[in-house]
Short mmCIF file of all heavy atoms in Angstrom, two decimals:
data_model
loop_
_atom_site.label_atom_id
_atom_site.label_comp_id
_atom_site.label_asym_id
_atom_site.label_seq_id
_atom_site.Cartn_x
_atom_site.Cartn_y
_atom_site.Cartn_z
N ILE A 1 91.75 98.62 91.88
CA ILE A 1 91.83 97.77 93.04
C ILE A 1 92.96 96.78 92.94
O ILE A 1 93.78 96.67 93.91
CB ILE A 1 90.46 97.02 93.23
CG1 ILE A 1 89.36 97.95 93.64
CG2 ILE A 1 90.65 95.89 94.27
CD1 ILE A 1 87.97 97.32 93.67
N PHE A 2 93.09 96.12 91.82
CA PHE A 2 94.20 95.12 91.67
C PHE A 2 95.55 95.78 91.58
O PHE A 2 96.56 95.21 92.00
CB PHE A 2 93.93 94.21 90.51
CG PHE A 2 92.89 93.15 90.84
CD1 PHE A 2 91.59 93.26 90.42
CD2 PHE A 2 93.23 92.06 91.62
CE1 PHE A 2 90.65 92.32 90.77
CE2 PHE A 2 92.31 91.05 91.96
CZ PHE A 2 91.00 91.19 91.52
N ASN A 3 95.60 97.01 91.02
CA ASN A 3 96.88 97.75 91.07
C ASN A 3 97.25 98.04 92.50
O ASN A 3 98.42 97.95 92.89
CB ASN A 3 96.70 99.06 90.28
CG ASN A 3 97.57 99.08 89.04
OD1 ASN A 3 98.15 98.05 88.66
ND2 ASN A 3 97.66 100.21 88.43
N GLY A 4 96.25 98.36 93.33
CA GLY A 4 96.56 98.58 94.76
C GLY A 4 97.04 97.34 95.41
O GLY A 4 97.97 97.41 96.24
N ILE A 5 96.43 96.21 95.10
CA ILE A 5 96.88 94.94 95.71
C ILE A 5 98.33 94.61 95.28
O ILE A 5 99.15 94.25 96.16
CB ILE A 5 95.95 93.82 95.31
CG1 ILE A 5 94.58 94.01 95.94
CG2 ILE A 5 96.52 92.45 95.71
CD1 ILE A 5 93.51 93.05 95.43
N ILE A 6 98.63 94.78 94.03
CA ILE A 6 99.99 94.56 93.49
C ILE A 6 100.99 95.49 94.21
O ILE A 6 102.07 95.09 94.63
CB ILE A 6 100.02 94.70 91.97
CG1 ILE A 6 99.21 93.58 91.32
CG2 ILE A 6 101.43 94.76 91.44
CD1 ILE A 6 98.92 93.80 89.84
N MET A 7 100.64 96.76 94.27
CA MET A 7 101.48 97.73 94.93
C MET A 7 101.70 97.36 96.35
O MET A 7 102.82 97.40 96.93
CB MET A 7 100.85 99.12 94.85
CG MET A 7 101.72 100.23 95.50
SD MET A 7 100.99 101.87 95.34
CE MET A 7 101.26 102.22 93.64
N GLY A 8 100.65 96.91 97.05
CA GLY A 8 100.75 96.56 98.48
C GLY A 8 101.64 95.37 98.68
O GLY A 8 102.45 95.32 99.63
N TYR A 9 101.54 94.34 97.85
CA TYR A 9 102.37 93.13 98.00
C TYR A 9 103.84 93.49 97.85
O TYR A 9 104.73 93.09 98.61
CB TYR A 9 101.99 92.06 97.02
CG TYR A 9 100.93 91.14 97.57
CD1 TYR A 9 99.66 91.00 96.92
CD2 TYR A 9 101.09 90.42 98.71
CE1 TYR A 9 98.69 90.18 97.36
CE2 TYR A 9 100.12 89.54 99.24
CZ TYR A 9 98.92 89.42 98.54
OH TYR A 9 97.95 88.61 99.02
N PHE A 10 104.18 94.26 96.80
CA PHE A 10 105.55 94.62 96.58
C PHE A 10 106.11 95.47 97.71
O PHE A 10 107.28 95.35 98.11
CB PHE A 10 105.76 95.31 95.22
CG PHE A 10 105.88 94.33 94.08
CD1 PHE A 10 104.98 94.38 93.00
CD2 PHE A 10 106.87 93.36 94.07
CE1 PHE A 10 105.08 93.48 91.94
CE2 PHE A 10 106.99 92.46 93.01
CZ PHE A 10 106.09 92.54 91.96
N PHE A 11 105.27 96.40 98.20
CA PHE A 11 105.70 97.23 99.34
C PHE A 11 105.90 96.42 100.58
O PHE A 11 106.78 96.63 101.38
CB PHE A 11 104.73 98.36 99.58
CG PHE A 11 105.32 99.45 100.39
CD1 PHE A 11 105.91 100.61 99.75
CD2 PHE A 11 105.23 99.47 101.77
CE1 PHE A 11 106.43 101.65 100.51
CE2 PHE A 11 105.79 100.50 102.54
CZ PHE A 11 106.38 101.59 101.90
N GLU A 12 105.07 95.38 100.74
CA GLU A 12 105.15 94.46 101.87
C GLU A 12 106.50 93.68 101.76
O GLU A 12 107.23 93.52 102.70
CB GLU A 12 104.00 93.50 101.82
CG GLU A 12 103.78 92.63 102.95
CD GLU A 12 102.92 93.11 104.09
OE1 GLU A 12 101.69 93.38 103.88
OE2 GLU A 12 103.44 93.15 105.20
N PHE A 13 106.84 93.20 100.54
CA PHE A 13 108.13 92.56 100.34
C PHE A 13 109.26 93.49 100.69
O PHE A 13 110.26 93.07 101.31
CB PHE A 13 108.29 92.09 98.87
CG PHE A 13 107.44 90.90 98.51
CD1 PHE A 13 106.69 90.88 97.32
CD2 PHE A 13 107.40 89.75 99.31
CE1 PHE A 13 105.92 89.77 96.98
CE2 PHE A 13 106.60 88.68 98.98
CZ PHE A 13 105.89 88.66 97.84
N TYR A 14 109.16 94.71 100.23
CA TYR A 14 110.22 95.70 100.55
C TYR A 14 110.36 95.92 102.00
O TYR A 14 111.48 95.99 102.54
CB TYR A 14 109.92 97.02 99.84
CG TYR A 14 110.76 98.16 100.37
CD1 TYR A 14 112.12 98.26 100.00
CD2 TYR A 14 110.18 99.20 101.13
CE1 TYR A 14 112.92 99.30 100.48
CE2 TYR A 14 111.01 100.23 101.58
CZ TYR A 14 112.36 100.28 101.30
OH TYR A 14 113.13 101.30 101.76
N SER A 15 109.24 96.06 102.73
CA SER A 15 109.29 96.35 104.19
C SER A 15 109.88 95.18 104.95
O SER A 15 110.48 95.40 105.97
CB SER A 15 107.88 96.65 104.68
OG SER A 15 107.05 95.51 104.68
N LYS A 16 109.71 93.97 104.45
CA LYS A 16 110.25 92.78 105.16
C LYS A 16 111.65 92.47 104.81
O LYS A 16 112.43 91.95 105.62
CB LYS A 16 109.34 91.56 104.83
CG LYS A 16 107.87 91.68 105.18
CD LYS A 16 107.68 91.80 106.69
CE LYS A 16 106.21 91.81 107.01
NZ LYS A 16 105.94 92.01 108.49
N THR A 17 112.12 92.79 103.57
CA THR A 17 113.43 92.41 103.11
C THR A 17 114.39 93.57 103.02
O THR A 17 115.61 93.38 103.11
CB THR A 17 113.37 91.73 101.68
OG1 THR A 17 112.91 92.70 100.73
CG2 THR A 17 112.40 90.56 101.75
N GLY A 18 113.85 94.77 102.87
CA GLY A 18 114.76 95.95 102.69
C GLY A 18 115.39 96.02 101.28
O GLY A 18 116.28 96.88 101.03
N ASP A 19 114.95 95.13 100.37
CA ASP A 19 115.52 95.07 99.03
C ASP A 19 114.87 96.14 98.19
O ASP A 19 113.66 96.18 97.93
CB ASP A 19 115.26 93.67 98.44
CG ASP A 19 116.03 93.46 97.16
OD1 ASP A 19 116.33 94.45 96.45
OD2 ASP A 19 116.28 92.28 96.82
N ASN A 20 115.70 97.08 97.68
CA ASN A 20 115.18 98.23 96.94
C ASN A 20 114.51 97.89 95.60
O ASN A 20 113.76 98.64 95.08
CB ASN A 20 116.32 99.24 96.66
CG ASN A 20 116.68 100.03 97.89
OD1 ASN A 20 115.86 100.27 98.79
ND2 ASN A 20 117.95 100.43 97.98
N LYS A 21 114.84 96.63 95.10
CA LYS A 21 114.17 96.29 93.83
C LYS A 21 112.66 96.18 94.03
O LYS A 21 111.89 96.50 93.11
CB LYS A 21 114.75 94.97 93.27
CG LYS A 21 114.34 93.74 94.03
CD LYS A 21 114.91 92.45 93.39
CE LYS A 21 114.45 91.22 94.13
NZ LYS A 21 115.08 89.99 93.56
N PHE A 22 112.24 95.75 95.23
CA PHE A 22 110.80 95.63 95.49
C PHE A 22 110.18 97.01 95.58
O PHE A 22 109.02 97.20 95.19
CB PHE A 22 110.55 94.83 96.75
CG PHE A 22 110.89 93.38 96.63
CD1 PHE A 22 111.84 92.80 97.47
CD2 PHE A 22 110.29 92.59 95.66
CE1 PHE A 22 112.16 91.46 97.37
CE2 PHE A 22 110.59 91.29 95.57
CZ PHE A 22 111.53 90.68 96.39
N LEU A 23 110.95 98.01 96.05
CA LEU A 23 110.42 99.36 96.11
C LEU A 23 110.20 99.88 94.68
O LEU A 23 109.24 100.57 94.38
CB LEU A 23 111.40 100.25 96.85
CG LEU A 23 110.86 101.68 97.24
CD1 LEU A 23 109.67 101.54 98.19
CD2 LEU A 23 111.98 102.45 97.90
N GLY A 24 111.15 99.52 93.79
CA GLY A 24 110.98 99.90 92.39
C GLY A 24 109.77 99.28 91.76
O GLY A 24 108.97 99.91 91.06
N TYR A 25 109.57 97.95 91.99
CA TYR A 25 108.41 97.26 91.47
C TYR A 25 107.10 97.85 92.05
O TYR A 25 106.07 97.89 91.35
CB TYR A 25 108.44 95.77 91.85
CG TYR A 25 109.58 94.97 91.21
CD1 TYR A 25 110.10 93.89 91.84
CD2 TYR A 25 110.12 95.34 89.99
CE1 TYR A 25 111.15 93.17 91.30
CE2 TYR A 25 111.15 94.62 89.41
CZ TYR A 25 111.64 93.52 90.06
OH TYR A 25 112.68 92.77 89.50
N THR A 26 107.17 98.31 93.27
CA THR A 26 105.98 98.90 93.94
C THR A 26 105.40 100.05 93.12
O THR A 26 104.15 100.17 93.05
CB THR A 26 106.33 99.38 95.36
OG1 THR A 26 106.83 98.29 96.14
CG2 THR A 26 105.15 100.03 96.03
#
């Protein structure tokens, strides 16, 4: 569950900023 939340937040950051580093963290 918490892995999903972490993945979701980083993907959310990526979707808002377009910064590929967040996609990597995702």
